[in-house]
Amino acid sequence: MTGRTVAKEGAAPLRAPRLNGRLTIAGAAACAFAALVLVLALTTHRFLTWQNIKAILSSASLVGIEALGLTFVTMVGGVVSLAVAEVAVVTAMAFLAMLGAGLVPALAIAMALGAAVSGIQGFAIGAWNANPVMFTISAAFLIDGVGQGLNNGQIVQPAAGGYGTLNATPLGVPVAVYVLVGLALALQFVTRRTVLGRQIMLVGENRPAARAAGLPITRVVTLAFAIAGIAFGIGGAFLGSFNAGASVLSEGTITFDAIAAVLVGGTSITGGHGSPLRTLAGSLAIAAITDVLLLRGFSTGPQVLLKGMLVVVVVVVTQARSRGRR
């Protein structure tokens, strides 16, 4: 038997158990975590009431709209954007300030502002190969500074009362929930049925190969970020309407919750794989977990801890599956 034959026969048994072990451990951890959350949910008083379900849907819609946009940033290989909350708050300010011109123009301005601010970040990342995490952190500080400077740190009040339409509850369900579902379906169509959607996936999967194939990397990344910015603008309008005001203090944990929803929905942190519909499911999961903890009397700290643990589990599972595919 030759040395070459020995190498071939010995390599497979050494690699396979190690890879399968990763998948088994990661999968078992994910199942155990899901089972824990399910048990907590089913044993929590008032969790399965219609009123509480509506509260979960409402909570999921505010974060979910932002998360749908963030999905495009992650799919195109931008890892995550750490300026989600800042863009949302600035667009909320613009929306409330422009309500005097009417609800539709104010919404259009918020979406356009979100697309412009995020699109600029995408251009820098696509054209100059800037580090997405570091660049969006810098952008977040810059946007925060501009937001505070324009209004001296004060809360922006609605210029007119049209924002009440966004707080309506047709058939007992908040308007934001309908928008969340509609936006998820629209973005799913863009992802799966358009040339841009396929290009976003290709660039996110392997940017050097996409560049070698002649794909317009800068344009694709810029458009992916611009689409995300439109979603951030829509979410910002709902954020401003819900609070009847907007300031940098409105940011809260929006960025973290949006990232958690995207990753829990199964979008690969390395890009190239993802789905707005799965992000929708991830948003509902995060909202349900938060609701369970609130009903059980947990403070913000344990909530963030549990969601952080969930994100870690999902990232481990996703990476294991990605290595398994390779």
Side-chain angles (χ1 to χ4, degrees):
M1 184 179 293
T2 64
R4 179 179 299 178
T5 304
V6 171
K8 286 184 177 179
E9 291 177 352
L14 288 173
R15 285 195 300 265
R18 191 163 62 243
L19 179 58
N20 290 338
R22 286 196 199 103
L23 291 172
T24 300
I25 294 172
C31 291
F33 197 94
L36 173 62
V37 173
L38 181 61
V39 170
L40 287 174
L42 295 178
T43 58
T44 299
H45 180 57
R46 292 187 293 115
F47 179 79
L48 294 177
T49 63
W50 173 236
Q51 290 299 323
N52 190 60
I53 291 173
K54 287 195 295 184
I56 292 173
L57 291 174
S58 178
S59 176
S61 64
L62 292 175
V63 172
I65 292 173
E66 311 290 354
L68 288 174
L70 186 61
T71 302
F72 276 73
V73 171
T74 306
M75 288 191 304
V76 83
V79 189
V80 292
S81 170
L82 295 177
V84 176
E86 288 73 14
V87 176
V89 166
V90 166
T91 55
M93 291 178 177
F95 168 75
L96 295 174
M98 296 305 299
L99 274 173
L103 177 62
V104 174
L107 271 172
I109 289 172
M111 293 163 62
L113 178 61
V117 173
S118 295
I120 291 171
Q121 297 173 52
F123 176 83
I125 292 168
W128 306 329
N129 202 30
N131 182 288
V133 173
M134 298 306 298
F135 192 85
T136 55
I137 288 176
S138 302
F141 281 113
L142 178 61
I143 295 167
D144 251 353
V146 172
Q148 292 191 50
L150 290 177
N151 205 49
N152 296 320
Q154 301 299 311
I155 297 176
V156 176
Q157 302 291 337
Y163 69 93
T165 302
L166 300 186
N167 291 331
T169 55
L171 302 178
V173 178
V175 168
V177 176
Y178 296 102
V179 173
L180 172 66
V181 174
L183 185 62
L185 292 173
L187 294 181
Q188 182 74 11
F189 177 84
V190 172
T191 302
R192 296 289 184 254
R193 301 293 183 182
T194 66
V195 173
L196 176 61
R198 291 190 289 272
Q199 289 178 337
I200 287 173
M201 291 297 193
L202 290 171
V203 171
E205 176 73 23
N206 193 324
R207 187 170 298 189
R211 181 175 286 108
L215 289 182
I217 304 297
T218 301
R219 183 177 70 85
V220 172
V221 176
T222 301
L223 287 176
F225 271 76
I227 291 172
I230 291 173
F232 298 161
I234 295 172
F238 278 104
L239 177 67
S241 298
F242 181 78
N243 294 319
S247 73
V248 294
L249 299 178
S250 307
E251 293 170 4
T253 60
I254 291 175
T255 296
F256 175 77
D257 287 341
I259 293 172
V262 171
L263 297 181
V264 169
T267 297
S268 173
I269 193 68
T270 57
H273 300 279
S275 163
L277 289 182
R278 290 207 298 268
T279 294
L280 173 61
S283 301
L284 292 171
I286 293 298
I289 292 170
T290 302
D291 183 78
V292 167
L293 296 176
L294 284 173
L295 290 176
R296 286 181 170 267
F298 286 94
S299 61
T300 302
Q303 292 179 39
V304 174
L305 174 63
L306 185 58
K307 286 186 284 189
M309 291 170 59
L310 178 59
V311 169
V312 169
V313 170
V314 170
V315 170
V316 169
V317 172
T318 301
Q319 291 301 310
R321 288 177 177 173
S322 177
R323 291 182 181 181
R325 284 193 297 267
R326 289 196 296 267

